[in-house]
Amino acid sequence: MRWHCCVTALAQQTSRLYLLQQVVFGKDTEHQAGALVREFGGTKVLVHYGKGSVKRSGLLDRVFQSLDEAGIPWVELGGAVPNPHLSLVHEGIELCKKEGVDFILAVGGGSAIDSAKAIGYGVKYDGEVWDFYEKIAVAKDSVPVGVVLTLAATGSEMSNSSVITNEEGWLKRGYSSDLGRPKFAIMNPELTYTLPEYQTMSGCVDIMMHTMERYFSHEMNTELTDSLAEGLLKTVMHQAKILLKNPQDYDARSEIFWAGSLSHNGLTGCGRVGDWACHQLEHELGGMFDVTHGAGLAAVWGSWARYVYMNDIPRFAKFAVNVMDVPYNYADPEKTVLEGIEALEDFFRSIHMPTSVRELGVELTEAQILELAYKCSHMDKRTIGGIQKLTRSDMAEIYRMAK
């Protein structure tokens, strides 16, 4: 099935919903990679991917064959890892410049896609690509990127964001530019059948959190957007339980795949300014301890929620009732909120996700907590969050609560 989508802006000036120029969804669609690269003007391609799974499954060979059949020469760069590294981005930039690459095809999940976006920015920039992630430069151009998706999680196949880890100091930073939005995404749910349960469930949490970071906002009168967000969250929770029992359920994989894209293209936050504190808090955990992103989000969310909920009890109560099916307590709305937080943590536990940093295998020391907060505050140069503006000391307290 092929869907043709146009870039679209909806609602208020500050709200934008973006859809890819093309989404190709369904079984065996990876065979269309070469034709799509050619359609979007690629004449020499960097195929960028992670570790061995795309090779062992035969997917990479099918992609190479598709490019060969389309008459498009290619070079390859493997090695993308979770919390993708700046050093590999540098390697990709040099390879693209040396080989005259004019299109990058990411084969994998969010790590390969984020790394591909960074490479695309760097090829068109005379300076250090990390400048973008440190917010001291703005990308003016990029090599276009396409995606063959193998993991439903980050939504990077439809978002403008990219997150990279600099091994010097283990700083994990994000950069967002519409220049990095992929030109197309090939989405075959069967490619996710062999994912380990932990990766599948971490992906489900990441998808949910992309919507929840947008949902927890002080903006009012966004009923349609709220309903879309609530429906997506309930769908992911339902389908995650199905995949626990049957990892090769095609329909469940399809629902999760599509939810991942819609959770991070702006749809579920249209008309609102999101919070994003949990992502910022988790980025530092990922940078320091290399934890899986979705699992790290599950580990910190409950502590964040308990720390900030008093700033918007109605919003947290709405989440509890409409998403977690908690009965509304008219005599004590705060009790509704706390039951909703606990209900989501119970769900995380039910899909074998952590609800504390300790369950990630990390025993935080006080010195590490202070370092995490220092880095998360960008060395005391920023606050984070929307429901509550969090200072460096607030961040440290949430890490303590989450340990």
Side-chain angles (χ1 to χ4, degrees), residues 12 14-15 213-219 269-276 386-387 389:
Q12 303 170 5
T14 56
S15 299
E213 298 277 33
R214 294 171 166 94
Y215 185 88
F216 287 105
S217 166
H218 290 308
E219 274 78 23
C270 201
R272 290 198 296 257
V273 176
D275 186 273
W276 297 103
I387 292 289
K389 293 296 181 185

Side-chain angles (χ1 to χ4, degrees), residues 233-263:
L233 291 167
K234 291 176 76 72
T235 296
V236 172
M237 293 169 68
H238 175 71
Q239 301 298 340
K241 292 290 190 71
I242 292 174
L243 290 178
L244 274 178
K245 297 178 180 178
N246 181 11
Q248 296 191 0
D249 187 303
Y250 181 84
D251 291 335
R253 290 284 184 185
S254 297
E255 296 284 354
I256 295 293
F257 233 21
W258 192 227
S261 295
L262 297 185
S263 71

Side-chain angles (χ1 to χ4, degrees), residues 2 22 24 28-42 45 47 59-72 103-107 146-149 184-187:
R2 175 175 290 200
Q22 282 196 27
V24 183
D28 300 321
T29 46
E30 62 270 23
H31 295 288
Q32 300 180 40
L36 283 164
V37 169
R38 184 175 57 197
E39 184 176 335
F40 283 93
V45 179
V47 180
L59 171 60
L60 207 55
D61 287 337
R62 297 195 295 275
V63 170
F64 290 155
Q65 181 182 354
S66 176
L67 291 168
D68 290 340
E69 290 172 351
I72 298 173
F103 198 96
I104 303 172
L105 183 63
V107 182
V147 174
V148 180
L149 191 64
F184 64 81
I186 292 171
M187 301 173 65

Side-chain angles (χ1 to χ4, degrees), residues 387-399:
I387 292 289
Q388 177 180 332
K389 293 296 181 185
L390 302 175
T391 66
R392 177 180 170 186
S393 61
D394 294 321
M395 299 171 203
E397 185 56 32
I398 292 172
Y399 284 127

